[in-house]
Amino acid sequence: MTEIGSRKTRRAPQKTRRKRKSPLGAFLLMGMFFVMLFVGFKIADSMFAPVTANPIVDEDEETIEPNSKDPINILVIGTDERDNEPTRSDTLILASLYPE
């Protein structure tokens, strides 16, 4: 005879619950990214401020008078335009001319 209390019953394995990760780490990481991006732009702005300053313009002829010792930089931008699409640049060439 078998006793009811001694019978072993099969139980379905319990699913382990995953702990929800706190979004605090993701927010801190995103915050650090934006702070570093902001600082990078500020550093780049301070480095290139002399380059991007207003050029010397002759009031009579409206021409730029570059210094003969400084290099001349020329940016060539090629554009691509297709039907029913906006125009976009597809080629960028930077040429630096040294007067020496």
Side-chain angles (χ1 to χ4, degrees):
M1 268 189 352
T2 60
E3 296 179 18
I4 296 175
S6 66
R7 279 185 13 191
K8 293 184 179 178
T9 58
R10 287 189 170 182
R11 291 184 183 176
Q14 292 182 350
K15 294 182 180 179
T16 57
R17 292 185 181 180
R18 292 185 180 176
K19 293 182 181 179
R20 288 189 178 180
K21 293 183 179 179
S22 173
L24 181 63
F27 286 128
L28 286 175
L29 188 63
M30 286 176 48
M32 286 174 41
F33 173 75
F34 285 116
V35 166
M36 289 182 358
L37 188 69
F38 178 75
V39 169
F41 275 118
K42 283 297 191 182
I43 290 171
D45 184 45
S46 65
M47 285 174 45
F48 293 110
V51 177
T52 59
N54 292 333
I56 302 170
V57 178
D58 187 11
E59 294 178 7
D60 297 334
E61 297 180 10
E62 295 292 329
T63 58
I64 299 172
E65 298 175 11
N67 191 350
S68 62
K69 296 178 183 178
D70 293 338
I72 300 170
N73 297 316
I74 301 171
L75 179 64
V76 179
I77 302 175
T79 58
D80 180 22
E81 183 177 358
R82 298 181 184 159
D83 295 336
N84 299 328
E85 289 186 9
T87 303
R88 55 185 174 236
S89 63
D90 62 351
T91 304
L92 298 173
I93 300 173
L94 179 63
S96 296
L97 304 175
Y98 295 94
E100 297 174 359

